[in-house]
């Protein structure tokens, strides 16, 4: 009996082990399948956005690139003709001194606006962090209203403010004693026209920077400021040693977004000056529109717009490379 019982137990254990062994591959395959599904889930969630991006942005970009190699004027458009001219549009654009003047103007315009936006937005954001609840709420309400105003509506307001004959700015300056400004044409020169446009763009962009920077400051632990004060750090030292290191990634990302937004600004400039006076306030988006739609040389306009994208890519890649290099040096 003992021997028989022992043999039976051994056989049962062997059967159990065989069953476990035979079931292990299925469990392993099931675990791998489950892990594969979990790994693929983020990509499946991103798939609708990727498809929408390819349809709404990728296809128009491809069509614009094809159009830039065509000679498409009013005649070809009416007769539905397709005349390929190779790289003639690009040669004509790149060989024009006017194009390079517009590129230089656009880069300077973008740099001035971005610097003003980031400096003023940072200062207002830090001010929000120090104000009391009521004053903070009042200031944030004003920022949100300025930010939420549609671009064309805000542009119309600024046209009214700086109008030559009935503008509020000229009337105010006249009442303050500057009588020569009573009939001043703010859009008559390149500098004054760009000043009005810059004021408009900065006014529209500062709320985004200020509100987001204030939100970033709320994530900084108060214990760090207490430790800095115990070490004898003043307001400026606390900012450079505590606040700025935490806000640096935010400032990098926001500057990147503002460069793109200002560089491609179109409605503010076109609605205020239409590129005038004497096409001296044309930036690359305005230049592409005037040459393409205004002069009905659509292939030329497509080439300019494609080159505009390339210039923007070069600027942003240079900026991102500088940011990445600085972060690597800090590590």
């Amino acid at each position: 009996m003992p021997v028989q019982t022992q043999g039976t137990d051994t056989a049962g254990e062997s059967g159990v082990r065989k069953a476990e062994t035979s079931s292990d591959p299925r469990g392993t395959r099931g675990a791998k399948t489950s892990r594969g599904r979990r790994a693929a889930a983020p990509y499946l969630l991103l798939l609708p956005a990727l498809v929408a991006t390819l349809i709404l942005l990728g296809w128009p970009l491809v069509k614009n690139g094809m159009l830039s190699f065509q000679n498409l004027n009013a005649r070809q458009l009416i007769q539905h003709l397709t005349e390929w001219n190779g790289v003639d549009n690009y040669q004509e654009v790149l060989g024009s001194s006017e194009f390079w003047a517009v590129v230089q103007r656009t880069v300077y315009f973008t740099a001035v606006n971005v610097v003003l936006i980031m400096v003023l937005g940072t200062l207002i954001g830090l001010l929000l962090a120090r104000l009391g609840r009521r004053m903070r709420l009042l200031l944030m309400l004003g920022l949100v209203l300025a930010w939420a105003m549609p671009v064309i509506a805000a542009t119309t307001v600024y046209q009214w403010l700086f109008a030559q004959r009935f503008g509020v700015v000229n009337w105010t300056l006249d009442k303050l004693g500057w009588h020569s400004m009573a009939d001043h044409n703010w859009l008559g020169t390149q500098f004054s026209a760009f000043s009005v446009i810059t004021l408009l763009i900065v006014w529209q962009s500062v709320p985004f920077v200020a509100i987001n920077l204030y939100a970033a400051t709320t994530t900084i632990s108060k214990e760090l400021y207490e430790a800095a004060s115990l070490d004898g750090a003043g307001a400026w030292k606390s900012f450079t040693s505590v606040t700025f290191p935490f806000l640096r990634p935010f400032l990098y990302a926001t500057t990147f977004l503002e460069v793109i937004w200002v560089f491609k600004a179109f409605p503010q400039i076109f609605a205020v000056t239409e590129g005038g006076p004497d096409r001296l306030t044309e930036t690359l988006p305005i230049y592409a529109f005037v040459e393409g739609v205004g002069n009905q040389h659509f292939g030329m306009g497509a080439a300019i717009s494609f080159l505009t994208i390339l210039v923007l890519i070069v600027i942003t890649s240079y900026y991102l490379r500088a940011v990445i290099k600085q972060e690597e040096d800090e590590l």
Side-chain angles (χ1 to χ4, degrees):
M1 289 294 294
V3 176
Q4 184 178 1
T5 304
Q6 184 177 0
T8 304
D9 294 341
T10 303
E13 292 176 0
S14 177
V16 172
R17 285 196 297 271
K18 289 180 179 179
E20 292 176 352
T21 303
S22 62
S23 64
D24 280 344
R26 299 177 185 174
T28 303
R29 286 196 297 270
K32 290 182 178 178
T33 303
S34 178
R35 287 196 297 268
R37 290 176 179 175
R38 287 196 298 268
Y43 299 99
L44 293 176
L45 294 174
L46 290 174
L47 185 60
L50 180 61
V51 172
T53 302
L54 290 176
I55 294 175
L56 298 177
L57 295 179
W59 179 242
L61 186 62
V62 172
K63 291 291 290 183
N64 184 80
M66 295 173 59
L67 185 61
S68 66
F69 294 101
Q70 299 177 18
N71 179 29
L72 182 60
N73 297 324
R75 182 178 66 85
Q76 290 84 357
L77 186 64
I78 295 173
Q79 298 179 1
H80 301 281
L81 298 177
T82 301
E83 296 182 5
W84 299 93
N85 60 355
V87 295
D88 290 349
N89 292 331
Y90 289 97
Q91 289 179 347
E92 184 175 350
V93 172
L94 295 176
S96 172
S97 59
E98 183 180 2
F99 170 77
W100 295 108
V102 173
V103 171
Q104 185 179 18
R105 185 186 307 141
T106 305
V107 172
Y108 288 156
F109 174 76
T110 302
V112 170
N113 278 269
V114 170
V115 169
L116 291 175
I117 290 169
M118 294 306 301
V119 171
L120 294 176
T122 301
L123 293 176
I124 295 176
L126 295 175
L127 177 63
L128 285 171
R130 292 181 174 272
L131 290 176
R133 179 176 300 179
R134 293 183 178 179
M135 290 301 298
R136 183 188 302 126
L137 179 62
L138 183 62
L139 180 56
M140 289 188 68
L141 179 61
L143 292 172
V144 169
L145 290 176
W147 189 21
M149 181 176 290
V151 175
I152 297 301
T155 304
T156 303
V157 171
Y158 269 73
Q159 287 178 311
W160 172 64
L161 289 174
F162 290 93
Q164 181 176 359
R165 296 186 60 186
F166 304 107
V168 176
V169 174
N170 286 353
W171 179 84
T172 303
L173 293 175
D174 180 40
K175 294 299 181 182
L176 292 176
W178 286 284
H179 302 295
S180 60
M181 302 296 292
D183 198 34
H184 180 70
N185 183 13
W186 290 94
L187 307 180
T189 63
Q190 182 186 36
F191 179 78
S192 61
F194 264 134
S195 299
V196 174
I197 297 170
T198 298
L199 184 62
L200 170 61
I201 292 178
V202 170
W203 179 74
Q204 289 180 312
S205 304
V206 162
F208 172 79
V209 178
I211 294 175
N212 283 278
L213 188 139
Y214 164 69
T217 59
T218 59
T219 63
I220 303 175
S221 175
K222 295 182 179 180
E223 296 177 355
L224 297 176
Y225 290 107
E226 294 176 356
S229 62
L230 292 175
D231 291 338
W236 177 250
K237 186 64 176 179
S238 297
F239 173 77
T240 56
S241 61
V242 178
T243 306
F244 184 72
F246 274 88
L247 298 181
R248 186 183 291 115
F250 161 80
L251 294 174
Y252 287 157
T254 307
T255 303
F256 174 72
L257 294 176
E258 291 299 331
V259 168
I260 296 176
W261 192 79
V262 175
F263 189 90
K264 65 183 184 65
F266 177 85
Q268 297 93 335
I269 302 175
F270 190 79
V272 173
T273 66
E274 296 184 1
D278 299 326
R279 306 187 67 175
L280 293 176
T281 58
E282 285 186 359
T283 57
L284 279 173
I286 306 297
Y287 183 61
F289 179 83
V290 171
E291 291 294 331
V293 179
N295 296 334
Q296 295 186 350
H297 193 171
F298 302 101
M300 181 71 68
I304 297 172
S305 62
F306 206 81
L307 291 173
T308 301
I309 297 174
L310 294 180
V311 172
L312 183 58
I313 291 175
V314 170
I315 294 175
T316 53
S317 61
Y318 177 80
Y319 171 76
L320 290 176
R321 185 177 63 179
V323 169
I324 294 173
K325 182 179 179 181
Q326 185 173 358
E327 290 180 350
E328 291 177 350
D329 294 340
E330 292 175 355
L331 295 176

